[in-house]
Amino acid sequence: MKIAEIADKLGLEVVNEGQWEREAKCCYASDMLSDVLANGGEGCLWITRQSHPNIVAVAAIRGMAGIIITGGKQINPDTIEKAGQEQVMIFSTPKQTCELAGKLYMLLSNEMERG
Amino acid sequence: MMPEKPRIEGCFAFNGGDFADAGQAAIELKARLAALGVPAQTVRRAAVSAFEAEMNVIIHARAGSMYYVIRGGELLITVTDTGPGIADVELAMQEGYSTAPKWARDVGWGSGMGLPNIKNNSDALKIDSIVGEGTTLLITIKLGAEGQNENC
């Protein structure tokens, strides 16, 4: 499913623009950066409460489709600047990780079932 | 005349505790390897290893540096720091074991996965450490098709 469609359906706030037409194939939820470096899948949307600049480097290295920061957290301006440099899309949502992950998982699963 | 082999090298300096720009070295390495046509999975393994090694310096040491070079079909990444050293390397290699300070854990690092991540993403990892003086990691990643670690 295209990122633009996911953002629209989940009511995500856009923090940093990027590749709207990119397909997100999967999602991964974790606040441990080494865990995401080890297991974050290429083309996945990463759900986290972390909002500091290192998340951009992690997402860029793993080739992830974007980052969704949960819990309505204030986002560090350095993170937004870095995301612009690395062309990593960042979204924000007041929803908590569990709720957002559940909704995103259902969206992606339904898409896969439809083929 | 033999075709010229692709050759890259680079170096970076890191300061302990200065984590805002962490990952730049790995991102640059990733871009340079990708530009050379190195397979995407190998590029990713190299970048993950470089990032984790850099974070070890930033979290644990006063300062350190990274040097990488391609030689003989292998990427060699050397990371040296002036830090506390590792008292028990075998223990440090166990996933989940961590001596990271609270500030590092608060920002999502320090989960005891750094060295295991490097091991899992490299073809060889050599650790030389002297307690009270510092640590040197030598990470080897084969750039050809044979460089595939089963763990990743």
Side-chain angles (χ1 to χ4, degrees):
Chain A
M1 182 178 284
K2 285 192 168 42
I3 292 178
E5 190 179 350
I6 292 170
D8 181 51
K9 288 191 168 165
L10 296 179
L12 303 177
E13 181 188 335
V14 182
V15 176
N16 184 64
E17 294 275 359
Q19 298 168 301
W20 284 104
E21 293 302 307
R22 188 169 175 186
E23 293 277 338
K25 300 181 292 191
C26 45
C27 57
Y28 196 76
S30 179
D31 294 333
M32 289 161 56
L33 276 66
S34 286
D35 174 39
V36 182
L37 273 176
N39 301 308
E42 182 163 4
C44 283
L45 279 166
W46 174 19
I47 304 167
T48 182
R49 283 182 64 87
Q50 301 289 355
S51 61
H52 58 81
N54 291 176
I55 61 173
V56 176
V58 170
I61 283 168
R62 293 302 306 192
M64 302 183 88
I67 306 168
I68 304 171
I69 298 172
T70 56
K73 279 193 75 177
Q74 190 80 21
I75 299 171
N76 187 326
D78 291 342
T79 303
I80 301 171
E81 185 183 341
K82 207 173 188 63
Q85 290 166 3
E86 302 301 331
Q87 296 182 302
V88 171
M89 287 201 82
I90 296 186
F91 299 95
S92 169
T93 176
K95 293 183 176 72
Q96 298 300 329
T97 295
C98 180
E99 181 185 354
L100 197 278
K103 288 184 168 160
L104 178 54
Y105 181 82
M106 289 305 294
L107 262 185
L108 295 172
S109 296
N110 291 339
E111 172 85 354
M112 282 172 68
E113 282 174 13
R114 282 198 302 269
Chain B
M1 187 175 169
M2 293 284 286
E4 191 172 320
K5 289 182 180 174
R7 209 170 262 283
I8 61 164
E9 62 180 337
C11 60
F12 298 88
F14 310 123
N15 291 317
D18 183 11
F19 86 107
D21 285 326
Q24 279 309 116
I27 286 174
E28 182 186 311
L29 177 62
K30 180 186 178 195
R32 295 187 73 179
L33 292 174
L36 287 172
V38 173
Q41 188 186 355
T42 308
V43 172
R44 193 160 52 244
R45 295 168 68 223
V48 168
S49 298
F51 199 169
E52 289 287 15
E54 175 185 354
M55 287 313 303
N56 275 348
V57 175
I58 290 170
I59 291 169
H60 296 284
R62 290 181 294 280
S65 63
M66 175 189 296
Y67 171 72
Y68 63 83
V69 64
I70 291 178
R71 187 180 297 154
E74 293 179 334
L75 172 69
L76 306 175
I77 306 172
T78 308
V79 181
T80 300
D81 70 53
T82 52
I86 303 170
D88 187 335
V89 171
E90 196 175 330
L91 191 56
M93 289 305 300
Q94 289 181 15
E95 189 168 314
Y97 176 80
S98 176
T99 58
K102 184 178 181 302
W103 70 261
R105 295 168 190 258
D106 285 347
V107 293
W109 295 106
S111 55
M113 290 180 69
L115 288 173
N117 263 357
I118 297 172
K119 187 169 191 298
N120 289 340
N121 281 283
S122 60
D123 294 293
L125 169 63
K126 184 170 183 290
I127 303 174
D128 286 323
S129 190
I130 299 174
V131 173
E133 294 189 15
T135 300
T136 297
L137 303 185
L138 175 57
I139 302 161
T140 304
I141 294 169
K142 293 178 180 173
L143 297 180
E146 72 275 20
Q148 302 293 331
N149 188 317
E150 291 176 355
N151 294 322
C152 60

